[in-house]
Amino acid sequence: MTDATELRRRTKELLAAHPPADTDRLDFLRARFDAGLAWVHFPEGLGGLGAPRSLQAVVDAELEAAGAPDNDPRRIGIGLGMAAPTILQYGTQEQKRRFLKPLWTGEEVWCQLFSEPGAGSDLAALGTRAVREGEEWVVNGQKVWTSSAHLARWAILIARTDPDAPKHRGITYFVCDMTDPGVEVRPLRQITGEAEFNEVFLTDVRIPDAHRLGEVGDGWRVAQTTLNNERVAIGGMRLPREGGMIGPVAKTWRERPELRTHDLHQRLLKLWVEAEVARLTGERLRQQLVAGQPGPEGAGMKLAFARLNQEISGLEVELRGEEGLLYDDWTMRRPELVDFTGRDAGYRYLRSKGNSIEGGTSEVLLNIVAERVLGLPAEPRTDKDVAWKDLAR
Ligand SMILES: Cc1cc2nc3c(=O)[nH]c(=O)nc-3n(C[C@H](O)[C@H](O)[C@H](O)COP(=O)(O)OP(=O)(O)OC[C@H]3O[C@@H](n4cnc5c(N)ncnc54)[C@H](O)[C@@H]3O)c2cc1C
């Protein structure tokens, strides 16, 4: 069993063999992966040591103290938070060996080709078709709201392989090569003025059967692993106290006494406490993760994250008055990451609107919490046993 002492020893060994000050960033990250110190709970040979997930913090602290580079996790969030756990659970040994290392080092960015113009909350209604031709699948369809598609080398993709089966059963999960000539990525401009995400057109895209994740027709089950991990990745990030949206507003409150009013004081206190409760609940969720896969509880965390971000950023705009309406940059940029704290109040206010939509809308997450956490009666589903091709669209 690899314990904390053993991990410290291995980390020191890595640092001695590859001193961060004299080692190329990518070389260091590759060496860290090979040493099993990338994600310690992954198996040996795949960036880990089969150690308890909770011990990752031991490695991270040692490396940070030594000034070692990290893999810029916010830039590669979809790969780390969603593709990797899915590949680990459903991938073949060959897929794990091919994809996980460059995913972790950030050499290959991943995106998620799930949502379609007619299938967002009702994702299982998706119509992108994958038809088998020998050892390949030919894919045609349109995806939308695809974050980072313009940066991505690979995508996790779900497509319909059996239109005769009910909607949840005829779906298969693939890894799609974003450099295939049939993949066309077009920017979509958001309320912030930026284009973080895209629409993606797939025309006769050829995917080798070797890039299928899980069984044919079992894609919905595979996708649940991705979606449960997505909610944890969005709502359950580890943060120090005042590390999220509440940080900038608390700072302004302390530094700008002329802006304070009694009403805003009461609201700030309430939101500060709620943000701290959410942060500590996130810690509990991570402890639960140590014990196994994330369950539907991640939905609750993501719900709280969205509501708090919107309320806190609204309070910040009010607190700053006219200044709060300023906006730093309206040009259509293609940002590599969503940076809440590095931008101004106007950006935070506008960008947080998407928090209650991305990774499942708040209404849909409330349904999940009601049904799968609280055990309340399920919503009526009349289309459960109807062939997808016969559904009204
Ligand atoms: C910033 C951002 C990034 C995104 N990135 C990605 C990405 O990288 N990849 C990807 O695949 N997708 C991505 N998405 C898409 C996202 O997952 C969908 O927008 C989301 O699932 C909602 O789907 P929809 O937009 O089709 O809305 P709809 O499903 O049409 O919903 C419209 C409204 O109806 C409500 N509604 C729908 N069904 C129910 C129900 N059963 N009960 C109660 N209310 C309901 C919804 O809550 C919502 O208010 C992103 C979205 C955003 C905002």
Side-chain angles (χ1 to χ4, degrees):
M1 183 69 167
T2 313
D3 59 11
T5 314
E6 171 63 5
L7 284 176
R8 272 194 203 95
R9 189 190 66 72
R10 285 178 185 249
T11 309
K12 289 202 164 63
E13 214 170 82
L14 170 75
L15 288 165
H18 307 273
D22 310 321
T23 310
D24 171 70
R25 175 177 176 274
L26 215 46
D27 288 343
F28 184 86
L29 293 174
R30 289 183 189 136
R32 177 174 166 185
F33 188 94
D34 293 339
L37 299 170
W39 31 34
V40 295
H41 61 293
F42 271 50
E44 277 190 52
L46 296 173
L49 294 165
R53 191 175 182 144
S54 55
L55 293 182
Q56 185 65 48
V58 173
V59 175
D60 292 349
E62 292 278 326
L63 290 176
E64 200 185 327
D70 69 12
N71 59 350
D72 205 353
R74 289 185 308 165
R75 196 177 73 89
I76 52 173
I78 294 176
L80 291 176
M82 296 153 68
T86 313
I87 293 169
L88 183 67
Q89 192 171 341
Y90 289 97
T92 60
Q93 209 46 29
E94 205 175 314
Q95 288 168 340
K96 291 177 198 171
R97 289 203 189 287
R98 164 62 189 86
F99 294 127
L100 290 176
K101 186 169 173 180
L103 178 159
W104 187 85
T105 59
E107 285 163 87
E108 290 181 345
V109 174
W110 286 67
C111 68
Q112 178 199 21
L113 292 172
F114 278 24
S115 305
E116 296 183 4
S121 302
D122 188 12
L123 184 59
L126 62 89
T128 292
R129 287 280 280 123
V131 178
R132 190 159 187 163
E133 274 187 18
E135 282 310 293
E136 285 185 329
W137 295 83
V138 182
V139 181
N140 282 285
Q142 186 197 341
K143 297 288 178 175
V144 75
W145 319 126
T146 319
S147 307
S148 305
H150 52 294
L151 307 168
R153 170 71 177 80
W154 298 105
I156 41 177
L157 162 76
I158 46 178
R160 185 151 311 276
T161 45
D162 184 359
D164 294 319
K167 63 179 184 179
H168 291 92
R169 280 184 240 147
I171 294 173
T172 303
Y173 199 120
F174 300 96
V175 171
C176 173
D177 183 346
M178 293 296 286
T179 65
D180 186 288
V183 177
E184 189 193 345
V185 176
R186 296 187 197 158
L188 277 177
R189 201 168 183 198
Q190 303 154 223
I191 192 173
T192 56
E194 300 180 330
E196 268 168 51
F197 50 34
N198 305 272
E199 43 186 358
V200 177
F201 296 84
L202 305 164
T203 311
D204 292 333
V205 175
R206 303 192 87 83
I207 299 183
D209 189 51
H211 285 183
R212 171 167 49 81
L213 275 182
E215 298 302 317
V216 174
D218 202 27
W220 186 250
R221 194 159 65 100
V222 183
Q224 294 317 303
T225 298
T226 310
L227 296 174
N228 282 335
N229 278 287
E230 177 175 23
R231 280 149 205 163
V232 176
I234 295 179
M237 270 169 296
R238 170 168 281 129
L239 291 171
R241 181 175 283 180
E242 291 194 7
M245 284 258 191
I246 199 71
V249 66
K251 184 164 179 278
T252 306
W253 183 269
R254 289 189 193 104
E255 291 174 357
R256 308 272 305 272
E258 76 279 9
L259 299 175
R260 296 176 189 166
T261 68
H262 176 72
D263 169 52
L264 291 174
H265 185 222
Q266 298 308 102
R267 280 166 58 199
L268 176 63
L269 284 180
K270 180 171 167 287
L271 288 171
W272 193 95
V273 170
E274 286 180 12
E276 186 59 9
V277 169
R279 188 179 77 83
L280 295 173
T281 309
E283 283 299 326
R284 268 215 335 248
L285 186 68
R286 271 185 296 281
Q287 284 169 15
Q288 200 178 321
L289 271 180
V290 169
Q293 289 294 319
E297 295 81 358
M301 198 61 223
K302 203 255 154 180
L303 261 174
F305 165 85
R307 181 184 62 80
L308 276 172
N309 274 1
Q310 291 173 358
E311 286 190 23
I312 293 168
S313 61
L315 177 75
E316 189 183 10
V317 167
E318 271 186 68
L319 173 64
R320 286 175 173 268
E322 283 176 13
E323 253 177 59
L325 300 177
L326 294 175
Y327 199 75
D328 57 3
D329 189 354
W330 276 113
T331 53
M332 191 186 96
R333 295 191 298 164
R334 301 283 267 160
E336 290 212 349
L337 48 87
V338 178
D339 180 10
F340 277 139
T341 45
R343 298 286 301 276
D344 65 15
Y347 171 82
R348 281 190 278 281
Y349 180 71
L350 294 180
R351 180 59 185 80
S352 64
K353 299 294 172 207
N355 290 158
S356 51
I357 305 172
E358 60 196 315
T361 68
S362 291
E363 291 77 15
V364 167
L365 296 183
L366 281 171
N367 282 344
I368 292 176
V369 171
E371 291 175 24
R372 294 196 230 146
V373 181
L374 303 178
L376 296 176
E379 277 202 320
R381 290 188 179 100
T382 51
D383 56 3
K384 223 170 118 225
D385 298 314
V386 182
W388 174 82
K389 67 174 173 29
D390 297 328
L391 294 176
R393 270 186 296 284

